[in-house]
mmCIF file of all heavy atoms in Angstrom:
data_model
loop_
_atom_site.group_PDB
_atom_site.id
_atom_site.type_symbol
_atom_site.label_atom_id
_atom_site.label_comp_id
_atom_site.label_asym_id
_atom_site.label_seq_id
_atom_site.Cartn_x
_atom_site.Cartn_y
_atom_site.Cartn_z
ATOM 1 N N LEU A 87 -8.227 -4.966 16.060
ATOM 2 C CA LEU A 87 -8.204 -4.711 17.541
ATOM 3 C C LEU A 87 -8.325 -3.166 17.786
ATOM 4 O O LEU A 87 -7.620 -2.345 17.040
ATOM 5 C CB LEU A 87 -6.752 -5.074 18.177
ATOM 6 C CG LEU A 87 -6.700 -4.989 19.656
ATOM 7 C CD1 LEU A 87 -5.864 -6.076 20.215
ATOM 8 C CD2 LEU A 87 -6.173 -3.573 20.119
ATOM 9 N N GLY A 134 -1.517 -1.522 30.435
ATOM 10 C CA GLY A 134 -2.534 -1.440 29.373
ATOM 11 C C GLY A 134 -2.050 -1.935 28.044
ATOM 12 O O GLY A 134 -2.810 -2.545 27.330
ATOM 13 N N LEU A 135 -0.691 -1.601 27.772
ATOM 14 C CA LEU A 135 -0.237 -2.054 26.468
ATOM 15 C C LEU A 135 -0.064 -3.610 26.527
ATOM 16 O O LEU A 135 -0.314 -4.278 25.569
ATOM 17 C CB LEU A 135 1.162 -1.419 26.266
ATOM 18 C CG LEU A 135 1.959 -1.922 25.051
ATOM 19 C CD1 LEU A 135 1.136 -1.598 23.777
ATOM 20 C CD2 LEU A 135 3.313 -1.189 25.038
ATOM 21 N N ASN A 136 0.373 -4.129 27.653
ATOM 22 C CA ASN A 136 0.389 -5.613 27.847
ATOM 23 C C ASN A 136 -1.016 -6.287 27.536
ATOM 24 O O ASN A 136 -0.992 -7.287 26.865
ATOM 25 C CB ASN A 136 0.961 -5.979 29.215
ATOM 26 C CG ASN A 136 2.465 -5.744 29.316
ATOM 27 O OD1 ASN A 136 3.091 -5.622 28.364
ATOM 28 N ND2 ASN A 136 2.876 -5.734 30.552
ATOM 29 N N ASP A 137 -2.026 -5.629 28.068
ATOM 30 C CA ASP A 137 -3.377 -6.229 27.880
ATOM 31 C C ASP A 137 -3.751 -6.209 26.380
ATOM 32 O O ASP A 137 -4.311 -7.085 25.889
ATOM 33 C CB ASP A 137 -4.337 -5.405 28.692
ATOM 34 C CG ASP A 137 -4.320 -5.631 30.173
ATOM 35 O OD1 ASP A 137 -3.620 -6.691 30.595
ATOM 36 O OD2 ASP A 137 -4.970 -4.928 30.917
ATOM 37 N N CYS A 138 -3.374 -5.110 25.707
ATOM 38 C CA CYS A 138 -3.620 -4.970 24.205
ATOM 39 C C CYS A 138 -2.818 -6.047 23.416
ATOM 40 O O CYS A 138 -3.331 -6.675 22.556
ATOM 41 C CB CYS A 138 -3.433 -3.660 23.775
ATOM 42 S SG CYS A 138 -4.647 -2.342 24.390
ATOM 43 N N TYR A 139 -1.470 -6.175 23.810
ATOM 44 C CA TYR A 139 -0.696 -7.083 23.205
ATOM 45 C C TYR A 139 -1.154 -8.499 23.402
ATOM 46 O O TYR A 139 -1.230 -9.322 22.472
ATOM 47 C CB TYR A 139 0.792 -6.960 23.693
ATOM 48 C CG TYR A 139 1.822 -7.695 22.929
ATOM 49 C CD1 TYR A 139 2.171 -7.362 21.689
ATOM 50 C CD2 TYR A 139 2.431 -8.772 23.574
ATOM 51 C CE1 TYR A 139 3.245 -8.150 21.031
ATOM 52 C CE2 TYR A 139 3.462 -9.473 22.888
ATOM 53 C CZ TYR A 139 3.800 -9.150 21.622
ATOM 54 O OH TYR A 139 4.875 -9.838 21.047
ATOM 55 N N ASP A 140 -1.530 -8.863 24.608
ATOM 56 C CA ASP A 140 -2.039 -10.229 24.893
ATOM 57 C C ASP A 140 -3.391 -10.535 24.153
ATOM 58 O O ASP A 140 -3.619 -11.524 23.753
ATOM 59 C CB ASP A 140 -2.286 -10.344 26.383
ATOM 60 C CG ASP A 140 -0.984 -10.597 27.177
ATOM 61 O OD1 ASP A 140 0.079 -10.882 26.586
ATOM 62 O OD2 ASP A 140 -0.970 -10.353 28.430
ATOM 63 N N THR A 141 -4.161 -9.434 23.992
ATOM 64 C CA THR A 141 -5.443 -9.641 23.289
ATOM 65 C C THR A 141 -5.056 -9.870 21.748
ATOM 66 O O THR A 141 -5.725 -10.754 21.235
ATOM 67 C CB THR A 141 -6.363 -8.307 23.328
ATOM 68 O OG1 THR A 141 -6.624 -8.033 24.680
ATOM 69 C CG2 THR A 141 -7.532 -8.452 22.442
ATOM 70 N N LEU A 142 -4.125 -9.247 21.258
ATOM 71 C CA LEU A 142 -3.703 -9.412 19.825
ATOM 72 C C LEU A 142 -3.203 -10.857 19.706
ATOM 73 O O LEU A 142 -3.565 -11.572 18.673
ATOM 74 C CB LEU A 142 -2.685 -8.435 19.285
ATOM 75 C CG LEU A 142 -2.350 -8.555 17.927
ATOM 76 C CD1 LEU A 142 -3.485 -8.250 16.944
ATOM 77 C CD2 LEU A 142 -1.099 -7.559 17.560
ATOM 78 N N LEU A 143 -2.385 -11.324 20.545
ATOM 79 C CA LEU A 143 -1.826 -12.724 20.451
ATOM 80 C C LEU A 143 -2.911 -13.778 20.554
ATOM 81 O O LEU A 143 -2.948 -14.737 19.949
ATOM 82 C CB LEU A 143 -0.783 -12.861 21.523
ATOM 83 C CG LEU A 143 0.470 -12.012 21.514
ATOM 84 C CD1 LEU A 143 1.454 -12.525 22.622
ATOM 85 C CD2 LEU A 143 1.169 -12.277 20.064
ATOM 86 N N TYR A 144 -3.991 -13.455 21.501
ATOM 87 C CA TYR A 144 -5.034 -14.341 21.700
ATOM 88 C C TYR A 144 -5.863 -14.476 20.366
ATOM 89 O O TYR A 144 -6.300 -15.455 19.933
ATOM 90 C CB TYR A 144 -5.888 -13.899 22.762
ATOM 91 C CG TYR A 144 -6.928 -14.875 23.287
ATOM 92 C CD1 TYR A 144 -6.646 -15.853 23.970
ATOM 93 C CD2 TYR A 144 -8.268 -14.748 22.838
ATOM 94 C CE1 TYR A 144 -7.681 -16.827 24.418
ATOM 95 C CE2 TYR A 144 -9.271 -15.589 23.213
ATOM 96 C CZ TYR A 144 -8.954 -16.672 23.961
ATOM 97 O OH TYR A 144 -9.931 -17.546 24.312
ATOM 98 N N LEU A 174 1.108 -0.342 20.218
ATOM 99 C CA LEU A 174 0.901 -1.761 20.009
ATOM 100 C C LEU A 174 1.457 -2.198 18.649
ATOM 101 O O LEU A 174 2.068 -3.277 18.544
ATOM 102 C CB LEU A 174 -0.619 -2.055 20.083
ATOM 103 C CG LEU A 174 -0.968 -3.522 19.773
ATOM 104 C CD1 LEU A 174 -0.304 -4.514 20.699
ATOM 105 C CD2 LEU A 174 -2.506 -3.698 19.915
ATOM 106 N N LYS A 177 5.309 -2.331 18.884
ATOM 107 C CA LYS A 177 5.757 -3.476 19.649
ATOM 108 C C LYS A 177 5.530 -4.741 18.836
ATOM 109 O O LYS A 177 6.392 -5.661 18.860
ATOM 110 C CB LYS A 177 5.009 -3.616 20.971
ATOM 111 C CG LYS A 177 5.397 -4.829 21.734
ATOM 112 C CD LYS A 177 4.725 -4.833 23.214
ATOM 113 C CE LYS A 177 5.169 -6.054 23.966
ATOM 114 N NZ LYS A 177 4.531 -6.023 25.398
ATOM 115 N N THR A 178 4.381 -4.839 18.105
ATOM 116 C CA THR A 178 4.192 -6.010 17.353
ATOM 117 C C THR A 178 5.187 -6.138 16.208
ATOM 118 O O THR A 178 5.570 -7.271 15.814
ATOM 119 C CB THR A 178 2.823 -5.990 16.817
ATOM 120 O OG1 THR A 178 1.832 -5.897 17.927
ATOM 121 C CG2 THR A 178 2.399 -7.319 16.028
ATOM 122 N N THR A 181 8.514 -7.226 17.684
ATOM 123 C CA THR A 181 8.611 -8.644 18.145
ATOM 124 C C THR A 181 8.281 -9.650 17.093
ATOM 125 O O THR A 181 8.453 -10.898 17.156
ATOM 126 C CB THR A 181 7.560 -8.881 19.251
ATOM 127 O OG1 THR A 181 6.284 -8.572 18.846
ATOM 128 C CG2 THR A 181 7.906 -8.016 20.468
ATOM 129 N N ALA A 183 5.414 -10.571 16.186
ATOM 130 C CA ALA A 183 4.391 -11.495 16.756
ATOM 131 C C ALA A 183 3.242 -11.704 15.850
ATOM 132 O O ALA A 183 2.592 -12.755 15.923
ATOM 133 C CB ALA A 183 4.050 -10.999 18.087
#
Side-chain angles (χ1 to χ4, degrees):
L87 185 148
L135 178 59
N136 286 341
D137 286 350
C138 291
Y139 187 70
D140 285 343
T141 299
L142 184 64
L143 295 183
Y144 188 82
L174 176 60
K177 180 174 180 177
T178 305
T181 60

